[in-house]
Amino acid sequence: MFVMILGLLLFLGVHSVRIFADDWRSAQVQRMGELGWKAGYAVVSVIGLAIAIWGYGQMRLDPIWIWFPPTGLRHAVALLMIPAFILLVAAYVPGNHIKAKLGHPMVLAVKVWALAHLLANGRLGDIVFFGAFLAWAVLDFRSARRRQPAPPTTPRMAGTAITVVGGLIAYYLFAFHLHVWVTGVPVM
């Protein structure tokens, strides 16, 4: 579990700079340039995520069970992941009503994803892994709401339709084709 926690600290740590040290981040962007900051941020993020995922996989080999979730919660996860994928896509599609209304759909997607996976997994490592993402998402959403909002854009139905259809396609591809390849666990 140590390896997983180390990866989580790297990944979520770099993603928490705006939460806990926004002035320091601004100074680093000024010093390194935006491209330099983003490059360093990306490298640390990828390394941290890879270590966290590898550690998570290792933790699953010798699990410590805290609770045994009812099988029906797996169906709840499958349903909750539909809006999670739509929210994730909403972060990237310009001019959609979801992003215009919610402001930070990716962070909300992480909240839904983490909460859903906490419901269906009762091992200590699962609770630490998904709980860390949920705690980070709550703090990040709160921090983001306090910052100066981005200039408003006029949402369009086409952007919203693309968001919803794109989210459903991403859900289908991940749930029915990629989840087992990425995690080693079938959705159902």
Side-chain angles (χ1 to χ4, degrees), residues 7 10-12 14-15 39-51:
L10 282 171
F11 182 78
L12 295 176
V14 76
H15 281 80
Y41 183 96
V43 168
V44 173
S45 293
V46 169
I47 291 170
L49 187 59
I51 291 170

Side-chain angles (χ1 to χ4, degrees), residues 40-83:
Y41 183 96
V43 168
V44 173
S45 293
V46 169
I47 291 170
L49 187 59
I51 291 170
I53 291 170
W54 184 77
Y56 178 77
Q58 294 301 305
M59 172 279 311
R60 291 178 58 219
L61 299 175
D62 190 23
I64 298 169
W65 287 94
I66 304 300
W67 73 299
F68 294 94
T71 306
L73 285 179
R74 292 172 72 187
H75 299 287
V77 173
L79 287 174
L80 286 169
M81 291 311 298
I82 294 170

Side-chain angles (χ1 to χ4, degrees), residues 63-108:
I64 298 169
W65 287 94
I66 304 300
W67 73 299
F68 294 94
T71 306
L73 285 179
R74 292 172 72 187
H75 299 287
V77 173
L79 287 174
L80 286 169
M81 291 311 298
I82 294 170
F85 272 95
I86 292 170
L87 288 167
L88 181 64
V89 172
Y92 295 102
V93 175
N96 70 78
H97 288 85
I98 298 168
K99 185 173 185 176
K101 180 71 175 171
L102 300 176
H104 307 283
M106 179 183 285
V107 177
L108 293 172

Side-chain angles (χ1 to χ4, degrees), residues 61-161:
L61 299 175
D62 190 23
I64 298 169
W65 287 94
I66 304 300
W67 73 299
F68 294 94
T71 306
L73 285 179
R74 292 172 72 187
H75 299 287
V77 173
L79 287 174
L80 286 169
M81 291 311 298
I82 294 170
F85 272 95
I86 292 170
L87 288 167
L88 181 64
V89 172
Y92 295 102
V93 175
N96 70 78
H97 288 85
I98 298 168
K99 185 173 185 176
K101 180 71 175 171
L102 300 176
H104 307 283
M106 179 183 285
V107 177
L108 293 172
V110 172
K111 283 183 182 181
V112 173
W113 167 80
L115 179 62
H117 284 77
L118 279 170
L119 291 174
N121 294 285
R123 296 174 298 232
L124 178 61
D126 296 318
I127 294 166
V128 171
F129 187 82
F130 296 114
F133 276 96
L134 181 58
W136 169 82
V138 167
L139 292 172
D140 190 57
F141 189 77
R142 197 173 111 209
S143 172
R145 299 290 273 194
R146 291 181 175 163
R147 288 192 294 270
Q148 181 72 19
T153 60
T154 304
R156 300 177 318 276
M157 283 308 295
T160 305

